[in-house]
Amino acid sequence: MPQPVVRARELRKTYGTVDAVAGIDLGVHEGEVVAVLGPNGAGKTTTIEMLLGLRTPTSGTVEVFGAEPLTVRHRVGAMLQDTDAPESLTVAEIIGLVASYYPYRLPTPLVLERADLVDQARMRVTQLSGGQRARLSFGLSIVGDPDLLYLDEPTASLDVGARRAFWTQVSALTDLGKTVLFSTHNLAEADAVAGRIVVIARGLVIHDGTPAQIKALVAGRTLRLVTDAPVAVVRELPGVRSVHEAAGPPGIRPVTIQAATAEPVLHALFAAPYEVRDLIVAEASLEEAFVHLTSTGAGVAEEDHR
């Protein structure tokens, strides 16, 4: 297998007696889109900063393109949560200034277009909204046409439309073979755009796999239907864990069932003299899997993604 774009081995960062990162092993290959998930304080941002060379590990090693991170920074772009830009410059001037530090850079008009900042090109940073500042940070991260892009909570300040436009631009980069590693608290977003998810808790990788593999760690199905079956009857069906019915008088009403598997519940319902319609069966969500993994510490990374 080819050498990973990013490789961390036994990565650890300690502050006093506290392990912010407690021994992370991580490999990311060319063209992958990897989401790093974890609760606040899990070590996500510290890990990304060590991968960038912005923080020195207490122990362990980091390689980016087979070298020390800072020696290949011309091939790396980063959109961090705290990115300061000179407030006296215009958006176009800042992009041009940052571009001058790269041996190869994208034309400023193209960066403005990709970051959706064409209309703000002559505006100073002080005039930008929070969402526009985030788009500027994205523009600065891609101005050197990087092969590897780090994104730390990239859409936290963007509205729905801006989020969609942002991920459209990221998708266009991955179509060119770029590698993307991002952290987020938006689990639906991670589920939609990441090909692989790394879950971090207590400074360790506790699971690593595709979104489908992560969700499969939580056994169970959610059944949503409209029925006249009494809730007491539904609770006694095989495999039912919980039942929630909409408020209102008995009769035909929406019911939500949590069950180990859907088939026994549906077989029993269809065999009984009750009406069943508007049926939806859904697998466990990424949010449910995330809460389960980070609250129990269940599982460890089973695949070493070398």
Side-chain angles (χ1 to χ4, degrees), residues 128-144:
L128 300 180
S129 67
Q132 289 166 346
R133 285 179 181 241
R135 299 206 300 273
L136 174 59
S137 181
F138 174 64
L140 297 178
S141 74
I142 65 172
V143 70

Side-chain angles (χ1 to χ4, degrees), residues 212-257:
Q213 288 170 335
I214 299 296
K215 288 184 285 189
L217 296 171
V218 180
R221 291 292 184 269
T222 299
L223 291 76
R224 296 181 179 87
L225 60 146
V226 173
T227 183
D228 58 352
V231 68
V233 171
V234 177
R235 286 198 181 103
E236 297 302 317
L237 297 176
V240 169
R241 294 172 175 169
S242 66
V243 181
H244 175 77
E245 61 178 344
I252 295 287
R253 79 279 183 217
V255 173
T256 301
I257 303 169

Side-chain angles (χ1 to χ4, degrees), residues 104-274:
Y104 177 76
R105 72 292 305 263
L106 297 177
T108 295
L110 178 59
V111 175
L112 290 169
E113 181 181 348
R114 289 185 174 178
D116 191 22
L117 287 171
V118 173
D119 293 339
Q120 290 78 34
R122 297 176 180 272
M123 292 174 61
R124 301 188 186 279
V125 172
T126 53
Q127 298 174 288
L128 300 180
S129 67
Q132 289 166 346
R133 285 179 181 241
R135 299 206 300 273
L136 174 59
S137 181
F138 174 64
L140 297 178
S141 74
I142 65 172
V143 70
D145 194 22
D147 297 311
L148 170 63
L149 190 60
Y150 293 105
L151 307 170
D152 193 11
E153 299 287 345
T155 62
S157 59
L158 300 182
D159 60 30
V160 174
R163 281 195 202 110
R164 290 180 177 176
F166 174 85
W167 287 115
T168 296
Q169 290 300 326
V170 173
S171 178
L173 294 175
T174 60
D175 288 344
L176 297 174
K178 312 292 187 181
T179 304
V180 177
L181 182 65
F182 72 98
S183 68
T184 183
H185 285 295
N186 188 324
L187 302 187
E189 190 171 78
D191 195 5
V193 304
R196 182 174 143 218
I197 290 176
V198 176
V199 183
I200 294 179
R202 298 169 294 282
L204 292 167
V205 174
I206 61 172
H207 238 291
D208 184 344
T210 66
Q213 288 170 335
I214 299 296
K215 288 184 285 189
L217 296 171
V218 180
R221 291 292 184 269
T222 299
L223 291 76
R224 296 181 179 87
L225 60 146
V226 173
T227 183
D228 58 352
V231 68
V233 171
V234 177
R235 286 198 181 103
E236 297 302 317
L237 297 176
V240 169
R241 294 172 175 169
S242 66
V243 181
H244 175 77
E245 61 178 344
I252 295 287
R253 79 279 183 217
V255 173
T256 301
I257 303 169
Q258 300 291 338
T261 57
E263 290 78 5
V265 178
L266 295 175
H267 179 77
L269 267 178
F270 290 138
Y274 301 113

